Structure formats: structure tokens, C-alpha cells
Amino acid sequence: MLKIYAVIFLLFLSQTGFAQKIPDCKLANEYIEQLISKKTKELQGVEYCQYRHYNSLDDLDNDGSNDFILVFSVEGALGNAGNSIEFMIVFLSKTKEGSPLETQIGNRGKVTFNDFANVSNNTIELELLVWKENDALCCPSGKGKAIYQIKDKQIIKIE
């Protein structure tokens, strides 16, 4: 019965023109989409764009311009359906295409990204969710943080 309602709803959307207005959550930046696609293919997984996290409101390198930080996950990585690996890519305002900074920040069963806590002065502080000993893979119950610093064109974890 639910399938019938879903089909009717989709037909309604297509007839009213609303279906064309539903966003597909892809950035309007082909370069970023290619970076994510490359990493996803490399790890033989999939990426769900609705789970991306963006930060472009902070000046990380103190040059007076906002920088762009992207966090995304590759699900089913390395042929393991339950595996998820998270990455952070940093585009400094003076970064040219082809030279963003990248690091792995999370892995299901250990830690996962929750939010940006602070971004300033070459430092990125992340709020994390941490799996405790008896936590199921779906549900980390601990909290933690990680601090990364931009130094010598690299992202270095300092805490």
C-alpha cells in the first residue's frame, strides 16, 4: 500500500513541476565532485552527498578571505559494507586547483565526525563521536575532539 502512495506522490510531483526543483545535493563545483568521486572509486565505496559537512565561514590561514573545508564519508570502503572512512579536505583561499589538503579523520567503530568546533589561526578543532567498548556500529556513545593544524602545506593532527 505504501508503494502505491509513493508512486502517486511521485506522479503528482512530476505533473506539478516540483520534481524539477528537488535538489540533488551536488555542489555546483565540478572539481570538488571529481575529488570526491576519485576517492570513492579508489576505496571501492559509495558517497552520499547529503551527509557532507561544509565550513566556509572562517579564515583559517589569516589572509582575510574565508577558506573552505569539506568533510565526507566513503561508505562500504574496501569491499566491507559496514566500513565507513571519513575525510577532511581543506581548500585555502590561496590554494590553486589540484592542491587541496586532505586527511582521514574518522573510521566507523572508532571515531566519527560530529561538528566543527572552532576554525581559526591555522587550526581546525572537530567535535567527534567515539565508539565505546560495548557500542553497536550504528551508535557511538562517547564524545571526543581532534585538533588539526595546517603546517607546511599539510594537515597535521596535534591532539
Side-chain angles (χ1 to χ4, degrees):
M1 189 62 142
L2 185 57
K3 288 182 182 179
I4 293 172
Y5 288 123
V7 170
I8 292 170
F9 180 70
L10 290 174
L11 286 172
F12 168 76
L13 287 179
S14 66
Q15 296 300 314
T16 60
F18 286 120
Q20 296 172 354
K21 297 176 187 174
I22 297 173
D24 66 1
C25 75
K26 299 284 186 188
L27 284 175
N29 186 301
E30 185 177 329
Y31 177 68
I32 293 174
E33 295 303 325
Q34 288 174 357
L35 284 175
I36 293 170
S37 179
K38 180 181 176 188
K39 181 59 76 174
T40 302
K41 286 178 186 173
E42 175 185 313
L43 294 173
Q44 303 168 350
V46 295
E47 189 262 343
Y48 299 102
C49 58
Q50 64 268 33
Y51 299 113
R52 293 178 189 169
H53 301 271
Y54 306 99
N55 179 307
S56 63
L57 302 175
D58 297 295
D59 180 13
L60 186 58
D61 56 3
N62 298 314
D63 68 352
S65 298
N66 288 341
D67 300 303
F68 182 71
I69 304 170
L70 167 65
V71 172
F72 70 97
S73 300
V74 177
E75 302 289 329
L78 305 173
N80 180 346
N83 194 13
S84 174
I85 302 173
E86 292 176 321
F87 296 92
M88 177 170 62
I89 299 179
V90 176
F91 298 86
L92 299 174
S93 56
K94 54 189 167 190
T95 300
K96 295 191 178 359
E97 283 192 13
S99 59
L101 310 176
E102 176 188 314
T103 192
Q104 181 178 329
I105 61 167
N107 199 323
R108 184 172 288 137
K110 295 178 183 173
V111 299
T112 188
F113 175 84
N114 187 45
D115 202 358
F116 293 101
N118 185 32
V119 179
S120 63
N121 299 322
N122 291 327
T123 304
I124 305 166
E125 184 177 341
L126 305 178
E127 292 177 7
L128 303 172
L129 297 176
V130 180
W131 274 265
K132 292 185 176 181
E133 187 176 334
N134 294 319
D135 288 347
L137 280 180
C138 69
C139 313
S141 63
K143 294 187 185 282
K145 71 176 180 176
I147 300 175
Y148 294 86
Q149 188 173 52
I150 306 299
K151 186 174 183 179
D152 300 325
K153 297 183 181 182
Q154 295 181 358
I155 303 172
I156 300 168
K157 187 174 182 180
I158 59 174
E159 185 179 323

